[in-house]
Amino acid sequence: MADIRTLPDAETAPEAPPAPVHATIRREDYRPPDWLVPEIALDFALDADVTRVRSRLTVERNGAHDRPLRLDGDELTPLNVLANGQDVAWRMEGPQLVVDIEGDRADLETEVEINPAQNTKLMGLYASGGMLCTQCEAEGFRRITFFPDRPDVLSRYRVRMDADEQRFPILLTNGNELASGKGEHGRHWAEWEDPFPKPSYLFALVAGDLKPNRDTFTTMSGRKVDLAIWVREADLPKTGHAMASLKAAMAWDEKVYGREYDLDQFNIVAVSDFNMGAMENKGLNVFNSRYILADPEIATDADFDAIAAVVAHEYFHNWSGNRVTCRDWFQLSLKEGFTVFRDQSFSADMGSAAVKRIEDVRVLRMAQFPEDSGPLAHPVRPDSYIEISNFYTATVYNKGAELIRMFHTVLGPEKFRAGTDLYFDRHDGEAATCDDFVKALEDASGVDLSAFKIWYSQAGTPQVDARIDYDADTGTALLKLGQRVAPTPGQPSKAPMPIPLRTALLGEASGAEIASEQLILLDRPEQTVRFEGLDEAPLLSINRGFSAPVVVRAKRKGDELERLAQSDADPFARYEAMQELAFEALLAGARGEAVDAEPLIRAAGNTLRSNELDPAFKAEAILLPTEAVIAERMDVVDPDAIHSSREHLRHALGSALMDDLAKAQAADAGSGADLSPLAKGTRRLRSVSLGLIAGADQARAAGLAKAQFDVADNMTDRQGALSVLVSLDAPEREAALTAFYERFHEDALVLDKWFALQAAAQRTDTLDQVLTLAAHREFTIANPNRLRALAGTFGVNHWAFNGADGRGYAFLADMIVAADKLNPQVAARLVPPFGRWRRFEPKRSALMRSQLERIMNTPGLSRDVFEQVSKSLA
Ligand code: ARG
Ligand code: ZN
């Protein structure tokens, strides 16, 4: 009832019906904003405990209406509200500040106090490691000041910051600095202006004791940009790779998309408490420190690659996201899908495109396919949400990127580029929609893409069935294709989708391409494609390069996969054939049928011994599908059966190929500082081989792993060795874990690895170890990276999490409930493993469900966790 005092008519007004606690927001309800805010001036008196925020908005009535001005707030209490410098009547309606404005334009001033130190949600302005920083996407700005906090309200920002100079010597915000100076009582101030109108989610502010790694970049039109990566002084030596990646990304975006940077400075700040990976705030990107800090001693090759990808991703948002932003949050994939596609293309150009494509597809299959087949399935452009933070998903990001990739495939690079040029040109400075993007591609290319729009609206992964019938007498082959999409929540029946399949035929005898690659567009439920003039029986090479994000089930001849694994000229198709060979053996084993591992053993042996293939490809090709991915292919999931099937296959592969694997494991990659594709690939193959050796001979693997660990001059070899050792019962395990801890425990990012490695262990006592780690004095649920390292990793450890006694479920549920009280966004991200409950054998299914119900019945559940849990139960 606290707000009643602010309601002038509270005594007489009829009681408004209570708003539903967790309302659903719908895309179809979109309405343009009632009020625009062309200008905003912010004045921050910064302090960790009490920060005072004064804001002055220039508000303009948008269209002819008489609705009041409504400003979003979250945990804010107005201390003062003035319109045109005068007191004005205002009221709170829920969290919103409502003001009746006379006329069509006004200056609206508000003042609030916020407490960054107590902001455990890490949304809005918060304290991290002695500094102050912000995260506003999606709806964090309303935790800083009252504002129409929606992406289609674009404003020009002017920001004044005032802080204690000793504690916060560096003050940063978006745009360019105009002036700075000293104040009284040891305080100083700075005033900045961002010339580009932007939505509030792109606002950022950082205050702290930071040091810069400075560099410059000259743009294609000859403008010099000052670059700086701001970190704690001790971390400066670890910023080189991020800076090199930034400059490479800036050059790449000019070359490939014609996009140039537009401000005089570009700042990046690394913070250790961050909900997500990084944030593209205009001119001031804020990063989770794990995507900035690296040197070969503490970061793996995969970490280096991830840093380059995320730095590029956030930089690319300057055009795909900032210059052209999103009309509403349902359009999130407009910026995220496109930007992921852009960062994937960048990484492909910087290294091996084939290996990058395999990695991207592996991520899609591990993270997005399960999402698409479970209770949290949603379209790339969702129709509704309860909490938008729950929609920063693999579907919006990675499937969204696949959609853009299909446009690229169908149009070809030139027309695609013409389309993006038109898109940027047409919508610069606007808040656009996914439809606008497609329209620009169509208008520039002259190609009708309307059929493809169903990829935005229809959830679920299509399954394509393929079989080929060959008539030797006529030299004709008929490729019979069919497609179907299983129902998803809210979408019981599905329409056919346009599926672009890069397809070729190889000769069964010669292995040569007998029908060269063509792009088949499967857009009906069933379709037949005819091939003529074939003088030998064909093998089917389909969905090359993973041209469509679908599951292909092809009817194969006896040794067809083995032949494809050996001779397909498309590296992805070759990898895929290996994966399918592995699946055949793994699924047979999991069903308790006889397993013929020989075809896979022969194919893996040939791969390992090949002189043409590079080591990174070999490593990908011999890596077995994870247990969770195997589970996706089972009607009823029995984690023990899957685990033992996979262990048997590892044993078979390991023993049959021991010599080849030992040779690969012993290969010399040179210095750990050598980050060339060859050196990285050699290290990767070394650790993947070690894993298969361990499948066959634990004692031998323990010895090799410990030796690899001890002599390593880089984190890749060290972590690779440890990731094998953690699952072994050998004295080397404890010795290496202890040595790792002793050496690195003061480095938070490396300590995260120590927690994660143990949570990923394949052993019967993993849960007990995880429980012990949860009580470790260096474990905390308040730091998202640490929580994800332990609880997040455990949740995707298929065999351990799904232990038959249900204790794994209880542990994760406990973590979710505890984390929800501090940081709902991060807590909600731990829920998805529970969403598989319907797929499991009855006992586990019931145990999972009862944990979901326990979470559901927790009083005071956040909107974030409520949405994920209630949808998981539905
Ligand atoms: N836009 C950021 C990125 O992908 C992610 C920010 C997500 N923030 C959030 N609170 N969900 O680059
Ligand atoms: Zn992004």
Side-chain angles (χ1 to χ4, degrees), residues 181 483 784 843:
Q483 62 161 301
K843 226 181 118 228

Side-chain angles (χ1 to χ4, degrees), residues 135 137 276 278 280 313-314 317 335-336 392 397 825:
Q135 170 59 32
E137 187 178 1
M276 308 278 285
E280 70 263 23
H313 178 99
E314 305 310 331
H317 269 315
K335 73 179 178 81
E336 295 303 347
Y392 287 74
Y397 276 63
Q825 206 178 103

Side-chain angles (χ1 to χ4, degrees), residues 658-705:
M658 186 58 85
D659 292 345
D660 297 311
L661 293 167
K663 203 168 141 211
Q665 194 275 329
D668 183 6
S671 155
D674 180 355
L675 295 175
S676 65
L678 180 63
K680 291 199 288 191
T682 306
R683 284 190 287 266
R684 172 110 169 112
L685 183 56
R686 178 189 290 162
S687 290
V688 169
S689 299
L690 188 57
L692 283 177
I693 293 171
D697 184 342
Q698 295 222 2
R700 180 167 182 187
L704 289 172

Side-chain angles (χ1 to χ4, degrees), residues 87-110:
D87 278 328
V88 64
W90 55 272
R91 56 190 184 275
M92 294 298 293
E93 289 184 13
Q96 287 187 325
L97 171 64
V98 183
V99 187
D100 291 303
I101 303 279
E102 283 176 30
D104 291 338
R105 202 184 156 94
D107 271 353
L108 200 276
E109 289 170 74
T110 67

Side-chain angles (χ1 to χ4, degrees), residues 227 277 299 445 670 687 735 761 805:
L227 312 175
S445 66
S687 290
D805 56 12

Side-chain angles (χ1 to χ4, degrees), residues 451-452 454-455 458 462 482-485 493-499 522-527:
F452 277 87
I454 193 171
W455 282 96
Q458 186 162 279
Q483 62 161 301
R484 62 197 166 84
V485 187
S493 61
K494 304 282 186 177
M497 307 179 76
I499 298 173
L522 168 65
D523 56 2
R524 280 168 279 151
E526 269 162 17
Q527 223 161 296

